[in-house]
Amino acid sequence: MPRKSKGKSEDPFTCPVCGVRVTDPERTWTLVSPIPDREGRVTITVMGAFRCPNGHTWKAVIKKFKSGEEEGAGAPQATEKEEGETITLDLSDIQNFNDEPPEEEG
């Protein structure tokens, strides 16, 4: 895993060279991860290209979020799984399946 450089700021709107804060990016685009995580969510990254008044340009991540999460939501909440219908079979029912005609319910 790459190390964070000491010179970069956490704020994507601040110029990494001179430290001037820019209000808006010149251009934005989205990147969608090709592989979902364990829970099946896909990570969507919003990137931006910036230019400060001194002429420096840089690209930075504006926002990262996962599909299926609401904004501002932290860790996913556990949902209860519904139990499916349980089917029980007797071994003698399976062994003699082809020998006996099917029973009609009624």
Side-chain angles (χ1 to χ4, degrees):
M1 185 171 221
R3 296 181 183 168
K4 282 189 175 180
S5 66
K6 294 180 182 178
K8 288 197 173 187
S9 171
E10 294 291 326
D11 185 20
F13 294 92
T14 303
C15 178
V17 178
C18 60
V20 175
R21 181 154 170 80
V22 181
T23 57
D24 293 325
E26 286 187 341
R27 175 174 102 90
T28 61
W29 65 96
T30 58
L31 298 172
V32 179
S33 67
I35 301 172
D37 63 0
R38 270 183 267 192
E39 288 82 28
R41 300 171 302 184
V42 175
T43 303
I44 301 171
T45 307
V46 179
M47 298 284 295
F50 299 91
R51 181 185 306 270
C52 76
N54 298 334
H56 303 110
T57 59
W58 72 96
K59 296 175 187 165
V61 175
I62 297 174
K63 186 177 183 180
K64 264 188 180 182
F65 58 96
K66 296 190 181 245
S67 65
E69 283 186 358
E70 295 182 21
E71 288 190 24
Q77 299 174 353
T79 58
E80 294 183 19
K81 293 184 179 179
E82 293 184 20
E83 292 291 326
E85 180 183 349
T86 305
I87 300 173
T88 56
L89 295 174
D90 189 15
L91 188 57
S92 62
D93 293 341
I94 297 172
Q95 289 175 344
N96 300 328
F97 181 72
N98 291 332
D99 298 340
E100 300 173 7
E103 296 179 12
E104 293 185 22
E105 293 183 19

